[in-house]
PDB file of all heavy atoms in Angstrom:
ATOM      1  N   LEU N   1      -1.645  -8.788   6.770  1.00 96.00           N
ATOM      2  CA  LEU N   1      -3.074  -8.551   6.584  1.00 96.00           C
ATOM      3  C   LEU N   1      -3.328  -7.752   5.310  1.00 96.00           C
ATOM      4  O   LEU N   1      -4.229  -8.075   4.531  1.00 96.00           O
ATOM      5  CB  LEU N   1      -3.662  -7.815   7.796  1.00 96.00           C
ATOM      6  CG  LEU N   1      -5.154  -7.491   7.729  1.00 96.00           C
ATOM      7  CD1 LEU N   1      -5.993  -8.765   7.676  1.00 96.00           C
ATOM      8  CD2 LEU N   1      -5.553  -6.621   8.905  1.00 96.00           C
ATOM      9  N   LEU N   2      -2.529  -6.727   5.077  1.00 97.00           N
ATOM     10  CA  LEU N   2      -2.693  -5.923   3.869  1.00 97.00           C
ATOM     11  C   LEU N   2      -2.428  -6.756   2.621  1.00 97.00           C
ATOM     12  O   LEU N   2      -3.148  -6.643   1.620  1.00 97.00           O
ATOM     13  CB  LEU N   2      -1.770  -4.704   3.903  1.00 97.00           C
ATOM     14  CG  LEU N   2      -1.988  -3.706   5.040  1.00 97.00           C
ATOM     15  CD1 LEU N   2      -0.988  -2.562   4.933  1.00 97.00           C
ATOM     16  CD2 LEU N   2      -3.411  -3.193   5.086  1.00 97.00           C
ATOM     17  N   ASP N   3      -1.418  -7.602   2.686  1.00 96.00           N
ATOM     18  CA  ASP N   3      -1.088  -8.470   1.550  1.00 96.00           C
ATOM     19  C   ASP N   3      -2.194  -9.505   1.316  1.00 96.00           C
ATOM     20  O   ASP N   3      -2.659  -9.686   0.193  1.00 96.00           O
ATOM     21  CB  ASP N   3       0.259  -9.150   1.791  1.00 96.00           C
ATOM     22  CG  ASP N   3       0.748  -9.900   0.576  1.00 96.00           C
ATOM     23  OD1 ASP N   3       0.678  -9.348  -0.552  1.00 96.00           O
ATOM     24  OD2 ASP N   3       1.191 -11.058   0.737  1.00 96.00           O
ATOM     25  N   LEU N   4      -2.630 -10.145   2.374  1.00 96.00           N
ATOM     26  CA  LEU N   4      -3.655 -11.189   2.288  1.00 96.00           C
ATOM     27  C   LEU N   4      -4.973 -10.663   1.736  1.00 96.00           C
ATOM     28  O   LEU N   4      -5.654 -11.335   0.968  1.00 96.00           O
ATOM     29  CB  LEU N   4      -3.877 -11.810   3.673  1.00 96.00           C
ATOM     30  CG  LEU N   4      -4.915 -12.904   3.780  1.00 96.00           C
ATOM     31  CD1 LEU N   4      -4.465 -14.144   3.020  1.00 96.00           C
ATOM     32  CD2 LEU N   4      -5.162 -13.258   5.237  1.00 96.00           C
ATOM     33  N   THR N   5      -5.325  -9.444   2.113  1.00 96.00           N
ATOM     34  CA  THR N   5      -6.605  -8.873   1.698  1.00 96.00           C
ATOM     35  C   THR N   5      -6.526  -8.104   0.378  1.00 96.00           C
ATOM     36  O   THR N   5      -7.541  -7.593  -0.096  1.00 96.00           O
ATOM     37  CB  THR N   5      -7.159  -7.928   2.788  1.00 96.00           C
ATOM     38  OG1 THR N   5      -6.208  -6.884   3.022  1.00 96.00           O
ATOM     39  CG2 THR N   5      -7.454  -8.693   4.069  1.00 96.00           C
ATOM     40  N   GLY N   6      -5.340  -8.017  -0.193  1.00 96.00           N
ATOM     41  CA  GLY N   6      -5.185  -7.309  -1.461  1.00 96.00           C
ATOM     42  C   GLY N   6      -5.253  -5.797  -1.317  1.00 96.00           C
ATOM     43  O   GLY N   6      -5.473  -5.087  -2.304  1.00 96.00           O
ATOM     44  N   THR N   7      -5.043  -5.287  -0.109  1.00 96.00           N
ATOM     45  CA  THR N   7      -5.129  -3.842   0.117  1.00 96.00           C
ATOM     46  C   THR N   7      -3.765  -3.173   0.274  1.00 96.00           C
ATOM     47  O   THR N   7      -3.698  -1.960   0.444  1.00 96.00           O
ATOM     48  CB  THR N   7      -5.983  -3.552   1.371  1.00 96.00           C
ATOM     49  OG1 THR N   7      -5.409  -4.218   2.500  1.00 96.00           O
ATOM     50  CG2 THR N   7      -7.422  -4.012   1.178  1.00 96.00           C
ATOM     51  N   LEU N   8      -2.698  -3.944   0.214  1.00 95.00           N
ATOM     52  CA  LEU N   8      -1.356  -3.396   0.416  1.00 95.00           C
ATOM     53  C   LEU N   8      -1.052  -2.279  -0.579  1.00 95.00           C
ATOM     54  O   LEU N   8      -0.660  -1.177  -0.186  1.00 95.00           O
ATOM     55  CB  LEU N   8      -0.296  -4.490   0.326  1.00 95.00           C
ATOM     56  CG  LEU N   8       1.151  -4.034   0.512  1.00 95.00           C
ATOM     57  CD1 LEU N   8       1.370  -3.505   1.920  1.00 95.00           C
ATOM     58  CD2 LEU N   8       2.117  -5.175   0.222  1.00 95.00           C
ATOM     59  N   ASP N   9      -1.230  -2.547  -1.862  1.00 94.00           N
ATOM     60  CA  ASP N   9      -0.923  -1.525  -2.866  1.00 94.00           C
ATOM     61  C   ASP N   9      -1.806  -0.296  -2.708  1.00 94.00           C
ATOM     62  O   ASP N   9      -1.343   0.834  -2.806  1.00 94.00           O
ATOM     63  CB  ASP N   9      -1.066  -2.082  -4.280  1.00 94.00           C
ATOM     64  CG  ASP N   9       0.049  -3.041  -4.646  1.00 94.00           C
ATOM     65  OD1 ASP N   9       1.107  -3.018  -3.975  1.00 94.00           O
ATOM     66  OD2 ASP N   9      -0.138  -3.831  -5.591  1.00 94.00           O
ATOM     67  N   TYR N  10      -3.084  -0.505  -2.452  1.00 94.00           N
ATOM     68  CA  TYR N  10      -4.012   0.622  -2.302  1.00 94.00           C
ATOM     69  C   TYR N  10      -3.640   1.505  -1.113  1.00 94.00           C
ATOM     70  O   TYR N  10      -3.649   2.730  -1.214  1.00 94.00           O
ATOM     71  CB  TYR N  10      -5.444   0.112  -2.155  1.00 94.00           C
ATOM     72  CG  TYR N  10      -6.448   1.206  -1.908  1.00 94.00           C
ATOM     73  CD1 TYR N  10      -6.754   2.127  -2.903  1.00 94.00           C
ATOM     74  CD2 TYR N  10      -7.091   1.323  -0.688  1.00 94.00           C
ATOM     75  CE1 TYR N  10      -7.676   3.146  -2.676  1.00 94.00           C
ATOM     76  CE2 TYR N  10      -8.011   2.341  -0.452  1.00 94.00           C
ATOM     77  CZ  TYR N  10      -8.304   3.246  -1.456  1.00 94.00           C
ATOM     78  OH  TYR N  10      -9.206   4.242  -1.231  1.00 94.00           O
ATOM     79  N   LEU N  11      -3.317   0.888   0.002  1.00 95.00           N
ATOM     80  CA  LEU N  11      -3.032   1.662   1.209  1.00 95.00           C
ATOM     81  C   LEU N  11      -1.607   2.212   1.263  1.00 95.00           C
ATOM     82  O   LEU N  11      -1.312   3.075   2.084  1.00 95.00           O
ATOM     83  CB  LEU N  11      -3.311   0.838   2.464  1.00 95.00           C
ATOM     84  CG  LEU N  11      -4.793   0.677   2.792  1.00 95.00           C
ATOM     85  CD1 LEU N  11      -5.005  -0.340   3.896  1.00 95.00           C
ATOM     86  CD2 LEU N  11      -5.410   2.012   3.165  1.00 95.00           C
ATOM     87  N   THR N  12      -0.733   1.720   0.400  1.00 90.00           N
ATOM     88  CA  THR N  12       0.655   2.186   0.450  1.00 90.00           C
ATOM     89  C   THR N  12       1.088   2.885  -0.831  1.00 90.00           C
ATOM     90  O   THR N  12       2.272   3.056  -1.063  1.00 90.00           O
ATOM     91  CB  THR N  12       1.622   1.027   0.767  1.00 90.00           C
ATOM     92  OG1 THR N  12       1.503   0.033  -0.257  1.00 90.00           O
ATOM     93  CG2 THR N  12       1.332   0.427   2.123  1.00 90.00           C
ATOM     94  N   SER N  13       0.134   3.288  -1.646  1.00 85.00           N
ATOM     95  CA  SER N  13       0.476   4.061  -2.843  1.00 85.00           C
ATOM     96  C   SER N  13      -0.280   5.373  -2.804  1.00 85.00           C
ATOM     97  O   SER N  13      -1.288   5.508  -2.125  1.00 85.00           O
ATOM     98  CB  SER N  13       0.127   3.279  -4.112  1.00 85.00           C
ATOM     99  OG  SER N  13      -1.267   3.126  -4.220  1.00 85.00           O
ATOM    100  N   THR N  14       0.210   6.338  -3.527  1.00 66.00           N
ATOM    101  CA  THR N  14      -0.481   7.617  -3.616  1.00 66.00           C
ATOM    102  C   THR N  14      -1.478   7.532  -4.758  1.00 66.00           C
ATOM    103  O   THR N  14      -1.346   6.706  -5.655  1.00 66.00           O
ATOM    104  CB  THR N  14       0.513   8.756  -3.869  1.00 66.00           C
ATOM    105  OG1 THR N  14       1.214   8.493  -5.079  1.00 66.00           O
ATOM    106  CG2 THR N  14       1.480   8.914  -2.717  1.00 66.00           C
ATOM    107  N   SER N  15      -2.479   8.373  -4.754  1.00 55.00           N
ATOM    108  CA  SER N  15      -3.470   8.380  -5.825  1.00 55.00           C
ATOM    109  C   SER N  15      -2.797   8.549  -7.169  1.00 55.00           C
ATOM    110  O   SER N  15      -2.132   9.548  -7.402  1.00 55.00           O
ATOM    111  CB  SER N  15      -4.475   9.512  -5.623  1.00 55.00           C
ATOM    112  OG  SER N  15      -5.295   9.253  -4.533  1.00 55.00           O
ATOM    113  N   GLY N  16      -2.947   7.561  -8.002  1.00 45.00           N
ATOM    114  CA  GLY N  16      -2.394   7.634  -9.338  1.00 45.00           C
ATOM    115  C   GLY N  16      -0.891   7.644  -9.398  1.00 45.00           C
ATOM    116  O   GLY N  16      -0.307   7.895 -10.431  1.00 45.00           O
ATOM    117  N   GLY N  17      -0.227   7.388  -8.273  1.00 43.00           N
ATOM    118  CA  GLY N  17       1.226   7.461  -8.249  1.00 43.00           C
ATOM    119  C   GLY N  17       1.837   6.137  -7.856  1.00 43.00           C
ATOM    120  O   GLY N  17       1.152   5.160  -7.624  1.00 43.00           O
ATOM    121  N   PRO N  18       3.156   6.112  -7.790  1.00 38.00           N
ATOM    122  CA  PRO N  18       3.857   4.880  -7.426  1.00 38.00           C
ATOM    123  C   PRO N  18       3.686   4.562  -5.943  1.00 38.00           C
ATOM    124  O   PRO N  18       3.254   5.409  -5.170  1.00 38.00           O
ATOM    125  CB  PRO N  18       5.320   5.207  -7.736  1.00 38.00           C
ATOM    126  CG  PRO N  18       5.384   6.695  -7.612  1.00 38.00           C
ATOM    127  CD  PRO N  18       4.048   7.215  -8.045  1.00 38.00           C
ATOM    128  N   ALA N  19       4.000   3.352  -5.581  1.00 40.00           N
ATOM    129  CA  ALA N  19       3.897   2.930  -4.191  1.00 40.00           C
ATOM    130  C   ALA N  19       4.763   3.809  -3.302  1.00 40.00           C
ATOM    131  O   ALA N  19       5.831   4.241  -3.684  1.00 40.00           O
ATOM    132  CB  ALA N  19       4.322   1.477  -4.048  1.00 40.00           C
ATOM    133  N   VAL N  20       4.234   4.090  -2.113  1.00 45.00           N
ATOM    134  CA  VAL N  20       4.965   4.865  -1.125  1.00 45.00           C
ATOM    135  C   VAL N  20       5.758   3.896  -0.266  1.00 45.00           C
ATOM    136  O   VAL N  20       5.212   2.950   0.276  1.00 45.00           O
ATOM    137  CB  VAL N  20       3.991   5.675  -0.242  1.00 45.00           C
ATOM    138  CG1 VAL N  20       4.743   6.398   0.858  1.00 45.00           C
ATOM    139  CG2 VAL N  20       3.198   6.655  -1.089  1.00 45.00           C
ATOM    140  N   VAL N  21       7.036   4.113  -0.175  1.00 44.00           N
ATOM    141  CA  VAL N  21       7.887   3.239   0.631  1.00 44.00           C
ATOM    142  C   VAL N  21       7.660   3.564   2.097  1.00 44.00           C
ATOM    143  O   VAL N  21       7.677   4.721   2.482  1.00 44.00           O
ATOM    144  CB  VAL N  21       9.375   3.446   0.264  1.00 44.00           C
ATOM    145  CG1 VAL N  21      10.273   2.639   1.175  1.00 44.00           C
ATOM    146  CG2 VAL N  21       9.610   3.085  -1.189  1.00 44.00           C
ATOM    147  N   SER N  22       7.413   2.538   2.885  1.00 45.00           N
ATOM    148  CA  SER N  22       7.271   2.756   4.321  1.00 45.00           C
ATOM    149  C   SER N  22       8.628   3.119   4.883  1.00 45.00           C
ATOM    150  O   SER N  22       9.594   2.398   4.700  1.00 45.00           O
ATOM    151  CB  SER N  22       6.763   1.480   4.995  1.00 45.00           C
ATOM    152  OG  SER N  22       6.764   1.630   6.386  1.00 45.00           O
ATOM    153  N   GLU N  23       8.672   4.245   5.556  1.00 47.00           N
ATOM    154  CA  GLU N  23       9.938   4.695   6.125  1.00 47.00           C
ATOM    155  C   GLU N  23      10.091   4.094   7.508  1.00 47.00           C
ATOM    156  O   GLU N  23      10.214   4.785   8.498  1.00 47.00           O
ATOM    157  CB  GLU N  23       9.970   6.217   6.185  1.00 47.00           C
ATOM    158  CG  GLU N  23       9.902   6.840   4.814  1.00 47.00           C
ATOM    159  CD  GLU N  23       9.783   8.341   4.895  1.00 47.00           C
ATOM    160  OE1 GLU N  23       9.712   8.900   5.997  1.00 47.00           O
ATOM    161  OE2 GLU N  23       9.753   8.957   3.837  1.00 47.00           O
ATOM    162  N   GLY N  24      10.043   2.790   7.574  1.00 48.00           N
ATOM    163  CA  GLY N  24      10.120   2.135   8.862  1.00 48.00           C
ATOM    164  C   GLY N  24      11.379   1.333   9.001  1.00 48.00           C
ATOM    165  O   GLY N  24      12.104   1.095   8.051  1.00 48.00           O
TER     166      GLY N  24
END
C-alpha cells in the first residue's frame, strides 16, 4: 500500500534524512 500510493519513502524516512530501515 505504501509503495502503490507513493508514500513509502515519506513514511519510512526521517525529515531531511535517509530512509529509516524497518527493523522487522
Side-chain angles (χ1 to χ4, degrees):
L1 180 63
L2 299 180
D3 188 45
L4 179 67
T5 59
T7 58
L8 180 65
D9 288 341
Y10 176 69
L11 285 170
T12 60
S13 67
T14 59
S15 290
V20 176
V21 175
S22 173
E23 297 174 358

